Amino acid sequence: MSIAAPTNLQEAVENRRNFAIISHPDAGKTTLTEKLLLYGGAIHEAGAVKARRAQRHATSDWMEMEQQRGISITSTVMQFLYGDYWINLLDTPGHQDFSEDTYRTLAAADNAVMLEDAAKGLEPQTLKLFEVCRMRSLPIFTFFNKLDRPGREPLELMDEIEQELGLLTYAVNWPIGMGDRFKGVFDRRQRQFHLFERSAHGSREAADTVVDLGDPRIEELLDQDLYYQFKEELEVIEELGPELDIEWVHTGQMTPVFFGSAMTNFGVQLFLDAFLDYALKPGPRSSSAGEIAPTHNDFSGFVFKLQANMDPKHRDRVAFIRVCSGKFEKDMVVNHARLGKTVRLSHPQKLFAQGRESLAEAYPGDVIGLNNPGVFAIGDTIYQGKKLEYEGIPCFSPELFAYLKNPNPSKFKQFRKGVSELREEGAVQIMYSADAFRRDPILAAVGQLQFEVVQFRLKNEYNVETQLDLLPYSVARWVAGGWEALDQAGRLFNTVTVKDSWGRPVLLFRNQWNCQQVEGEHPELKLNRTAPVVAGQQPADL
């Protein structure tokens, strides 16, 4: 499928939409991603994540460990054409242990889709990710999933969002029934009922019957009690609910709400159509040179993700770059802000999960893949014209720590290379003991699964067996002012000092109480939950 090349930069920006999906584990995020690709014509048959062996795996889950466990571990990027729009879908890890990778991906997104299980409502992981969206004032679209299963009342779910998140809600569509009696949705935009027919596990586009509001056939197609319940609920939301305010949506104060079932395709296309109308197009970005508009003539972009060994046969490393301004062209020469030198961007790739194809050009909002032979680090800016650097991406406080040991000295080179490359791509934070004689790296992670992934990938991709020696800490704080401030504070109790990959001091505590105790005893010592953002400097091998 192809579309005519845009005649100018403004047209290219108008025709692009970029978004990330955030959710709690098991809310159906990867399934929704598959269905959006299905409607975009990017795939012809959707595969559920927890598929039988005979069925295909989900397109967005490409890592072997993901397919074994039926979960999303890495962020992936998929671009597809739907109507006149190029959509860049940033699929983020749904597992609670992988919020750090999700944080970085949200830095490249213009919009966020918050996916909720209609039976469970808001869950802890979603709340964490929502806070990151709020920090960036991202527009948030809410999709209540699994309406084909028993769940909570729609009005109750919307009220929870308003109470817990402080967001106004506007129902763009409204469900008719729930669970076994879920018959479809009413589209408030077009004032039409969409009554769906179930397809085989939702593997193909859902067929539906469209009936206008007021058409007497609707009373024949729906059970009487369902129809009257729907009429009562529609009256409530239309009389008492707020009007849709697109400006509030774009500033993250109001969330358009959709109901449906990704597994059976109920409401997915209606969501996609409304999203394209309401979503924020690529906009200006803050930089050291001020706000840079997407229509700025000079090309610029930043690295938000690195991924090693997407193609194990070639031992490659790919840098994911969000285009922020201007037009990207294959083989163009750009300035690398951190290294202070020029780089030729050859062999650019259009990413589609693990699949890739060569790319000739890209525009603001697009994500491109570049082979990365040690040139790029997360947060790097590349640009043409006047020098600029985009804001860096911070590291968040890990909660689990362990020494990573290599029991086989003959594998030292592979071990060192594997740890270095996994650190570069942000698979896990790496710290080191302040004791110069202790050379084993310390893995610092949000959750246990990150440790397992690092060990799995070291064995699978670098042929290195490793051992973990868990440390009894759960809180990390960066010292504002660095080593000098730490020396001035004198002796500290109930904490241990380590250094991060940039050589900066980090205090580890057994628990939150110990952290508060040190802060109380040393009010002059300022401790940060996130690492200071470093521009123009790559972490060193300590």
Side-chain angles (χ1 to χ4, degrees):
M1 187 181 293
S2 61
I3 189 170
T7 56
N8 57 50
L9 203 50
Q10 183 66 47
E11 183 185 329
V13 171
E14 295 287 343
N15 289 345
R16 273 161 173 77
R17 296 294 183 271
N18 167 310
F19 71 99
I21 303 179
I22 62 172
S23 75
H24 195 83
D26 298 323
K29 179 186 55 58
T30 303
T31 306
L32 177 62
T33 301
E34 289 276 306
K35 301 311 170 67
L36 293 172
L37 298 178
L38 176 69
Y39 278 104
I43 58 176
H44 299 294
E45 187 169 329
V49 183
K50 295 180 180 175
R52 295 188 181 95
R53 287 185 183 179
Q55 294 176 335
R56 58 183 300 283
H57 288 292
T59 304
S60 53
D61 288 342
W62 57 266
M63 189 188 287
E64 180 183 346
M65 192 171 178
E66 292 178 310
Q67 296 179 355
Q68 289 173 2
R69 297 195 180 200
I71 55 173
S72 297
I73 291 174
T74 56
S75 297
T76 54
V77 178
M78 286 154 284
Q79 185 188 62
F80 61 96
L81 182 65
Y82 180 76
D84 293 332
Y85 291 95
W86 280 109
I87 300 174
N88 289 278
L89 193 164
L90 308 175
D91 180 39
T92 62
H95 196 281
Q96 60 193 22
D97 291 352
F98 282 82
S99 49
E100 180 106 359
D101 195 23
T102 307
Y103 295 150
R104 289 192 289 266
T105 300
L106 287 171
D110 297 319
N111 305 274
V113 173
M114 184 167 66
L115 181 67
E116 301 293 335
D117 184 330
K120 298 174 182 176
L122 286 173
E123 296 182 82
Q125 181 68 7
T126 316
L127 291 169
K128 276 187 187 178
L129 298 173
F130 169 76
E131 288 305 321
V132 180
C133 294
R134 172 163 276 170
M135 281 165 48
R136 300 199 53 244
S137 299
L138 284 180
I140 296 174
F141 297 78
T142 302
F143 188 96
F144 283 111
N145 194 23
K146 304 185 181 181
L147 266 290
D148 58 319
R149 302 180 187 179
R152 292 163 59 186
E153 291 297 322
L155 287 169
E156 181 188 341
L157 291 168
M158 290 174 63
D159 185 61
E160 183 178 52
I161 285 183
E162 297 200 352
Q163 298 299 321
E164 294 288 327
L165 304 182
L167 280 177
L168 283 170
T169 59
Y170 178 85
V172 182
N173 66 25
W174 196 255
I176 304 163
M178 187 173 287
D180 290 340
R181 303 193 72 200
F182 180 53
K183 301 301 181 186
V185 295
F186 175 70
D187 179 15
R188 293 179 67 192
R189 299 194 326 145
Q190 302 295 329
R191 312 301 286 175
Q192 290 176 328
F193 294 94
H194 287 253
L195 306 179
F196 296 93
E197 300 169 15
R198 295 173 188 262
S199 60
H201 303 293
S203 60
R204 300 186 182 279
E205 295 177 35
D208 64 7
T209 301
V210 180
V211 181
D212 291 333
L213 183 65
D215 188 323
R217 285 187 301 152
I218 194 65
E219 295 191 52
E220 300 170 13
L221 295 168
L222 293 178
D223 292 340
Q224 189 178 54
D225 63 325
L226 266 187
Y227 179 62
Y228 284 112
Q229 180 188 346
F230 160 76
K231 282 181 68 175
E232 287 176 12
E233 291 175 344
L234 186 65
E235 275 182 32
V236 170
I237 62 170
E238 297 204 329
E239 287 182 18
L240 302 180
E243 293 292 319
L244 179 65
D245 187 315
I246 294 298
E247 189 175 329
W248 285 2
V249 172
H250 287 175
T251 54
Q253 298 174 74
M254 172 181 275
T255 178
V257 175
F258 302 82
F259 294 89
S261 166
M263 183 60 74
T264 54
N265 289 345
F266 288 179
V268 175
Q269 188 169 20
L270 286 173
F271 160 73
L272 188 54
D273 289 338
F275 170 81
L276 292 173
D277 285 345
Y278 297 157
L280 204 57
K281 64 187 179 186
R285 293 247 160 188
S286 296
S287 79
S288 58
E291 281 209 334
I292 305 297
T295 51
H296 183 64
N297 282 330
D298 291 325
F299 164 81
S300 67
F302 69 90
V303 179
F304 69 93
K305 176 182 172 62
L306 300 175
Q307 184 70 53
N309 303 325
M310 286 182 75
D311 182 353
K313 293 177 183 175
H314 296 97
R315 313 292 295 170
D316 64 343
R317 282 191 285 172
V318 175
F320 289 62
I321 293 175
R322 154 73 193 235
V323 180
C324 296
S325 70
K327 179 182 177 182
F328 168 86
E329 294 178 300
K330 181 181 178 181
D331 289 324
M332 71 191 310
V333 176
V334 299
N335 299 301
H336 191 303
R338 173 173 56 84
L339 298 179
K341 64 180 187 182
T342 58
V343 179
R344 180 178 293 278
L345 304 182
S346 53
H347 307 297
Q349 299 161 350
K350 175 183 175 181
L351 298 160
F352 191 79
Q354 190 182 17
R356 287 170 279 169
E357 59 185 66
S358 62
L359 181 74
E361 58 188 34
Y363 295 89
D366 289 346
V367 174
I368 57 176
L370 292 171
N371 285 329
N372 176 37
V375 173
F376 298 114
I378 289 172
D380 276 351
T381 296
I382 53 176
Y383 66 95
Q384 287 188 323
K386 184 181 176 183
K387 181 173 182 179
L388 64 92
E389 273 189 273
Y390 289 107
E391 295 174 336
I393 303 171
C395 295
F396 290 80
S397 180
E399 297 167 13
L400 292 175
F401 306 87
Y403 277 113
L404 183 69
K405 295 182 177 180
N406 169 30
N408 187 350
S410 68
K411 298 281 187 179
F412 174 74
K413 282 187 177 180
Q414 295 98 311
F415 174 77
R416 186 183 175 103
K417 180 183 180 186
V419 169
S420 175
E421 291 186 357
L422 291 179
R423 183 212 63 213
E424 280 180 18
E425 72 175 62
V428 69
Q429 290 186 49
I430 305 289
M431 298 180 179
Y432 292 86
S433 171
D435 180 352
F437 294 100
R438 189 73 193 257
R439 300 295 298 159
D440 294 325
I442 299 170
L443 300 188
V446 176
Q448 177 65 33
L449 190 59
Q450 280 180 284
F451 288 165
E452 295 175 30
V453 169
V454 167
Q455 288 189 287
F456 177 89
R457 293 186 62 188
L458 285 172
K459 175 69 175 75
N460 210 43
E461 298 169 18
Y462 302 92
N463 196 27
V464 177
E465 295 276 4
T466 55
Q467 296 173 356
L468 283 181
D469 185 359
L470 292 172
L471 294 168
Y473 307 109
S474 64
V475 176
R477 294 291 182 265
W478 279 263
V479 179
W483 294 102
E484 184 179 344
L486 192 59
D487 291 340
Q488 289 175 358
R491 190 175 181 186
L492 305 179
F493 295 95
N494 296 320
T495 183
V496 65
T497 304
V498 298
K499 52 188 176 180
D500 69 6
S501 293
W502 282 268
R504 304 173 299 199
V506 184
L507 300 183
L508 303 186
F509 302 92
R510 286 178 179 267
N511 50 47
Q512 190 66 43
W513 188 84
N514 286 156
C515 177
Q516 291 170 347
Q517 188 180 28
V518 167
E519 288 178 314
E521 292 171 354
H522 300 272
E524 78 288 354
L525 194 64
K526 303 300 180 187
L527 303 180
N528 296 323
R529 291 172 179 264
T530 57
V533 174
V534 178
Q537 181 184 338
Q538 189 174 12
D541 285 313
L542 299 174

